[in-house]
Amino acid sequence: MSITTMLSGRGAQAPAAPKTDVALDLRNVQKTYDTPGRPHVEAIRNLDFQVRRGELVCVVGPSGAGKTTLLRSIAGLLDVTAGEVVLDGTTVTGPPEGMAVVFQEYGRSLFPWMTVRQNIELPLKEKGIPKAERREKVDRALEEVSLSEAAEQHPWQLSGGMQQRVAIARAIAFEPTVLLMDEPFAAVDAQTRAELEDLVRSLWKHLGVTVLFVTHDIDEAVYLGERVIVLSNRPTVLMEDVKVDLPPERDQLTTRSDPRFGELRGHVYELIQRAKRGERPDETAAVDKGV
Amino acid sequence: MIRFLKATGYVLGLPVILLTAWWFGSANSTSPFWPPLSTIIETFPSTWTWDRIVGDVFPSLARLGIGFGLAVVVGIVLGTAIGLSPTLRALSEPVLEFFRAVPPPVLVPIIALFAGYTGWLGKIVTIALGCLWPILLNTVEGVRGLEPVLGDTAKSYHLSPWRRLVFVVLPGASPRIFTGARQSLSIGVILMVISELFGANRGLGAAIVQFQRSFAIPQMWTGVIVLGLIGVLLATLFKVVENRMLAWYVGQRQIERGA
Ligand SMILES: Nc1ncnc2c1ncn2[C@@H]1O[C@H](COP(=O)(O)OP(=O)(O)OP(=O)(O)O)[C@@H](O)[C@H]1O
Ligand SMILES: [Mg+2]
């Protein structure tokens, strides 16, 4: 009997997962907040897209579009109202293993009672990595975000941009298979920002990690991503899934002056403008409802 | 150096003024209840002999230490459990509110019934129960008030419940726990004295009452002074521990205010 269930189980699963290279699969995800103070806020109306293993996907959308909501749902920190988030073939019901999240509230995500080093080290301790190796990983991560000299300081002694880099260092030292980042470069200066963008690109290439990167910066989205997911305003649906057909080797100077970069950037800009005006792909449905 | 002198000046300034006022104000007093301060100080060495310190002061302090220590341990354990569990919180809320409203000295006659008041047990129970509530309630609030993003961080990095407790929940609640413990300590000192007023006893509080009953008024005043000095000593000790353990909190607050 167990054999038959196993077989039939496998048989039932086979057509559902022909593409094993899908890391993240959002199936008609919907999220409506129902907090006592603010009942019934429909944040995400319907999102249905996939992210391949080892892909770097950027998410842009107007402020309040539900980008953070989407990320928290994927991170297993928020229950979706309908639909499901599937990661590596299993439905996400809690924080998945091997995922690191850089929160939008980077400053508040660092433990103020620990030094920078201890903050980065804690998840590694949990992984059971021996002490010497932990030290080495922390040092390397700090070096990558150019913060080596701040290792023994406390987060509150650092500037906002430095705190953000600590949060990033903690995520990369963890060596995740999936990395979610919510506007991680919002508080850093332009120079550091360019460096960190290249860092994310190079880490992504070396580690083969799947990255979902939320940003409000259109240039950044096009520069970093292989795809840019453009969201409508709230209640959110997919505006457009823009494929970034730029060469894989990117460089701050040449890539940004590539005519194709300009076209893509213009296209995404246009989409965002339309999203902000309240235009949406399901417009007819919205109009029907409104009238 | 100048800064140090200034700081000592601030600390000692008011006590010196008060003592001077007491000294001169009471200098010509003939009232038996208000003996001159000089008389009180004269009787000090003969009253607070080493025998008396060992026989009265140490037992009082030991009971305070045990009672307060018990309250800290039980308060933090229960408070953390209640703070983390919504079910437990819903169940215990009315009970906690009730006990919070009962003034601790009222406990004395009740405990006397059950534990008796001649030995140490009743006194320690009184001190521990009185000290428990501020620590317990503050721990609950501290655990509940933990920054949600920190909780999310702990969850998404899969910190084990044990690590979450030791590295996230307890440090996060520690500022509130210290606030509670400070309140508890002053309640504890009061209860240390009150618990010795019933039945035949030895102890600091008992000694003061015995002096008063036998009209040894200057001696009674020395007892009050000793009690006050112990209060200062305990507060200083507490501050030292707090400054060590909450250095991050103090630093963070200073930077937030400065900015
Ligand atoms: N806990 C909550 N309860 C009720 N409504 C919420 C809650 N969290 C978010 N919202 C609402 O859901 C919508 C989407 O919020 P979300 O934070 O996901 O947007 P966002 O795209 O990340 O915005 P931003 O670009 O400003 O970070 C907003 O309208 C917000 O007010
Ligand atoms: Mg957001």
Side-chain angles (χ1 to χ4, degrees):
Chain A
M1 184 218 155
S2 65
I3 294 171
T4 28
T5 20
M6 261 174 69
L7 285 176
S8 65
R10 201 189 280 165
Q13 262 186 1
K19 36 196 188 303
T20 42
D21 63 333
V22 172
L24 182 65
D25 190 359
L26 282 98
R27 300 180 184 162
N28 292 312
V29 168
Q30 294 173 35
K31 175 68 195 177
T32 301
Y33 287 106
D34 225 341
T35 36
R38 282 179 74 194
H40 208 79
V41 178
E42 189 182 6
I44 298 178
R45 173 159 294 169
N46 189 345
L47 281 176
D48 192 289
F49 65 87
Q50 296 175 336
V51 177
R52 276 182 294 109
R53 200 177 310 286
E55 202 175 12
L56 201 172
V57 175
C58 291
V59 178
V60 293
S63 188
K67 303 183 290 294
T68 299
T69 306
L70 170 67
L71 224 68
R72 289 173 56 83
S73 309
I74 297 171
L77 296 168
L78 203 61
D79 290 329
V80 296
T81 314
E84 52 181 348
V85 177
V86 179
L87 187 75
D88 287 329
T90 30
T91 304
V92 170
T93 49
E97 292 282 345
M99 178 185 277
V101 186
V102 177
F103 292 94
Q104 190 170 9
E105 306 91 341
Y106 54 90
R108 286 188 272 139
S109 79
L110 300 172
F111 301 107
W113 44 88
M114 295 184 193
T115 62
V116 165
R117 173 180 299 286
Q118 289 165 337
N119 262 284
I120 301 175
E121 205 174 8
L122 187 59
L124 305 182
K125 258 190 200 164
E126 190 64 55
K127 270 186 159 183
I129 295 172
K131 196 172 173 186
E133 202 180 326
R134 280 202 312 257
R135 218 189 147 76
E136 196 185 306
K137 280 184 197 293
V138 174
D139 286 338
R140 202 167 340 119
L142 280 173
E143 214 169 288
E144 294 197 278
V145 297
S146 2
L147 267 186
S148 301
E149 75 287 356
E152 308 309 328
Q153 283 185 297
H154 285 266
W156 39 269
Q157 294 172 302
L158 309 176
S159 70
M162 288 161 96
Q163 292 175 7
Q164 207 159 30
R165 283 185 277 156
V166 175
I168 294 167
R170 182 168 63 187
I172 59 183
F174 187 68
E175 293 172 0
T177 51
V178 180
L179 177 58
L180 306 182
M181 304 176 101
D182 197 351
E183 305 198 12
F185 306 154
V188 299
D189 58 283
Q191 183 56 43
T192 316
R193 190 179 186 125
E195 280 166 20
L196 289 176
E197 285 169 2
D198 291 333
L199 173 67
V200 167
R201 284 281 308 178
S202 74
L203 281 170
W204 165 70
K205 264 199 221 133
H206 292 150
L207 301 177
V209 51
T210 310
V211 183
L212 199 69
F213 189 103
V214 169
T215 174
H216 57 243
D217 184 326
I218 295 160
D219 286 52
E220 181 167 272
V222 175
Y223 178 73
L224 281 180
E226 295 179 292
R227 270 162 68 200
V228 178
I229 304 248
V230 185
L231 302 180
S232 74
N233 64 359
R234 197 171 66 81
T236 308
V237 293
L238 186 72
M239 261 320 251
E240 196 177 312
D241 186 343
V242 181
K243 176 147 181 46
V244 179
D245 46 6
L246 290 169
E249 276 308 325
R250 304 210 181 153
D251 174 272
Q252 293 287 352
L253 276 179
T254 51
T255 306
R256 283 181 195 268
S257 53
D258 185 329
R260 184 64 190 144
F261 181 85
E263 278 169 36
L264 285 165
R265 182 185 171 285
H267 180 60
V268 174
Y269 183 81
E270 175 67 29
L271 285 169
I272 299 268
Q273 287 307 314
R274 276 166 44 199
K276 276 191 185 158
R277 282 199 301 270
E279 249 180 74
R280 26 195 315 130
D282 63 344
E283 207 165 19
T284 43
V287 169
D288 284 349
K289 245 178 134 187
V291 177
Chain B
M1 186 62 200
I2 290 188
R3 202 196 258 169
F4 175 76
L5 284 179
K6 215 169 162 183
T8 2
Y10 278 127
V11 172
L12 294 180
L14 191 56
V16 167
I17 292 171
L18 288 177
L19 279 177
T20 318
W22 187 3
W23 181 277
F24 288 107
S26 65
N28 299 318
S29 168
T30 48
S31 157
F33 306 126
W34 283 106
L37 183 53
S38 52
T39 318
I40 297 174
I41 289 175
E42 265 164 37
T43 51
F44 207 105
S46 58
T47 314
W48 297 100
T49 57
W50 180 244
D51 278 350
R52 194 176 270 291
I53 289 175
V54 172
D56 283 325
V57 180
F58 285 178
S60 288
L61 286 179
R63 287 190 291 261
L64 174 63
I66 297 171
F68 179 72
L70 276 174
V72 167
V73 172
V74 175
I76 292 178
V77 170
L78 277 184
T80 310
I82 295 172
L84 288 176
S85 154
T87 330
L88 220 51
R89 202 153 59 234
L91 280 174
S92 59
E93 203 129 70
V95 184
L96 292 183
E97 287 304 323
F98 176 82
F99 279 108
R100 197 227 298 261
V102 177
V106 173
L107 298 171
V108 174
I110 303 169
I111 292 165
L113 277 182
F114 291 102
Y117 242 86
T118 39
W120 280 40
L121 182 65
K123 299 186 181 71
I124 289 174
V125 171
T126 308
I127 295 170
L129 273 181
C131 290
L132 179 64
W133 305 108
I135 298 181
L136 177 62
L137 295 168
N138 275 287
T139 306
V140 172
E141 287 310 309
V143 169
R144 290 191 59 194
L146 187 74
E147 171 62 54
V149 186
L150 289 182
D152 287 345
T153 304
K155 265 188 231 154
S156 66
Y157 282 116
H158 285 274
L159 296 190
S160 63
W162 174 245
R163 281 218 168 76
R164 235 182 269 186
L165 189 69
V166 174
F167 292 104
V168 181
V169 174
L170 286 179
S174 60
R176 286 300 297 264
I177 295 178
F178 269 94
T179 305
R182 196 178 315 106
Q183 291 169 9
S184 289
L185 191 58
S186 27
I187 294 177
V189 172
I190 295 170
L191 288 178
M192 172 188 88
V193 174
I194 291 182
S195 66
E196 291 170 9
L197 304 185
F198 297 81
N201 278 302
R202 295 215 58 182
L204 185 51
I208 295 173
V209 174
Q210 271 154 25
F211 289 138
Q212 186 246 337
R213 286 193 185 136
S214 53
F215 296 102
I217 301 303
Q219 283 82 350
M220 180 198 82
W221 279 106
T222 61
V224 173
I225 291 174
V226 168
L227 202 54
L229 288 177
I230 286 173
V232 172
L233 188 75
L234 289 177
T236 314
L237 262 175
F238 190 89
K239 195 80 206 153
V240 169
V241 175
E242 189 180 23
N243 282 348
R244 273 193 74 95
M245 293 190 67
L246 291 187
W248 62 271
Y249 183 69
V250 176
Q252 191 183 27
R253 288 265 303 258
Q254 272 170 359
I255 285 185
E256 274 168 10
R257 279 209 214 102

